[in-house]
Amino acid sequence: MKWIPLESADQIDAIKQTQGYSLIFKHSTRCSISMMVKKRFEFDWDKLPDNLPLYFLDLIKYRELSNKIAADFQVYHESPQLLLIKDGECILDLSHGEVSVEEAMLVIS
């Protein structure tokens, strides 16, 4: 699997228009906890469906996009944070130690 860098508001708008599932992982490159959670997530991501888009947001570099995500999907900004989007709506919001492939798969399955 591969991350899709999330670098523009247009991408967020496209995710909102996408039918089916998308995942957004918000990561702070300055936070050791965020780095640990990211590594743990990547270790297990082969359990996710192959066609699931995995968006990666460097929220230090793109803080305004993190704010847009919070507003558009009606979630509180956290880091690290995993959002599962289905048909343009956030249906799962996990942060910190809750972020896991297993939790996402419980909803997708």
Side-chain angles (χ1 to χ4, degrees), residues 29-42:
T29 55
R30 295 182 189 156
C31 175
S32 60
I33 292 170
S34 191
M35 182 61 70
M36 179 185 67
V37 169
K38 178 180 174 278
K39 284 183 181 187
R40 188 180 71 209
F41 184 84
E42 290 174 333

Side-chain angles (χ1 to χ4, degrees), residues 7 27 29-30 57-65:
E7 300 173 336
H27 172 64
T29 55
R30 295 182 189 156
L57 177 65
D58 175 344
L59 64 90
I60 301 299
K61 191 172 180 181
Y62 298 102
R63 179 55 195 246
E64 71 283 354
L65 294 181

